[in-house]
Amino acid sequence: MRRSLRHKYRKVRINFKQELRDICKQDKSLRMLIYEAHRAENNNNVVFKMYHWLGTKYHDIYEEFCDTEIWGGTYCGEYGIWQALLQTYSDFAKKYIYKIPQKCAMGDALAVVYRLDKENK
């Protein structure tokens, strides 16, 4: 992350991490939700990169792949940290949703989850 972004969001991110840590200590299922949201987001990125690569490099294989039933079974839409938090802790998410970018929030949330898991071992 660039230094200017780090300094711009520093105070808000510290507060975000502290509050999320307190919430995650009480609600262990939220930890799993954050981890699964991270995995779903990365899987979605990989699938769309594969489609783009097939479409640009191997157009014949791409057309065959589009005719199969696998094409309709992929992830669609966006699912990130804010969507997960808005469904579970909406007041907490609404407090920070316009103050922190999604990538920063996902990284901070994942760091909190990993740290809490490491402490519990």
Side-chain angles (χ1 to χ4, degrees), residues 58-87:
Y58 303 100
H59 196 68
D60 299 336
I61 297 172
Y62 179 74
E63 287 177 357
E64 283 182 33
F65 182 70
C66 289
D67 291 336
T68 63
E69 293 179 14
I70 299 172
W71 177 254
T74 60
Y75 297 122
C76 295
E78 182 180 344
Y79 188 75
I81 186 67
W82 296 126
Q83 287 78 10
L85 287 175
L86 279 171
Q87 293 174 3

Side-chain angles (χ1 to χ4, degrees), residues 20-28 30-31 34 116:
L20 187 63
R21 183 181 172 92
D22 295 338
I23 293 171
C24 283
K25 278 185 179 180
Q26 296 172 358
D27 189 5
K28 292 184 179 182
L30 181 63
R31 292 187 211 174
I34 291 170
L116 285 174

Side-chain angles (χ1 to χ4, degrees), residues 6-111:
R6 255 192 316 220
H7 291 297
K8 182 177 180 181
Y9 301 113
R10 177 176 289 184
K11 292 179 184 177
V12 179
R13 289 176 66 198
I14 289 171
N15 293 336
F16 174 75
K17 284 192 250 185
Q18 288 174 348
E19 287 185 39
L20 187 63
R21 183 181 172 92
D22 295 338
I23 293 171
C24 283
K25 278 185 179 180
Q26 296 172 358
D27 189 5
K28 292 184 179 182
S29 62
L30 181 63
R31 292 187 211 174
M32 187 56 71
L33 180 67
I34 291 170
Y35 180 70
E36 290 298 325
H38 174 71
R39 283 186 52 196
E41 189 174 329
N42 284 342
N43 286 343
N44 198 8
N45 290 343
V46 168
V47 167
F48 283 119
K49 284 180 184 177
M50 182 188 69
Y51 290 155
H52 175 71
W53 179 72
L54 281 175
T56 55
K57 302 283 185 187
Y58 303 100
H59 196 68
D60 299 336
I61 297 172
Y62 179 74
E63 287 177 357
E64 283 182 33
F65 182 70
C66 289
D67 291 336
T68 63
E69 293 179 14
I70 299 172
W71 177 254
T74 60
Y75 297 122
C76 295
E78 182 180 344
Y79 188 75
I81 186 67
W82 296 126
Q83 287 78 10
L85 287 175
L86 279 171
Q87 293 174 3
T88 53
Y89 293 94
S90 60
D91 54 341
F92 173 71
K94 287 177 184 176
K95 183 177 177 182
Y96 291 106
I97 192 168
Y98 297 113
K99 295 180 181 178
I100 304 174
Q102 183 165 344
K103 283 191 174 186
C104 295
M106 179 61 85
D108 291 341
L110 204 60

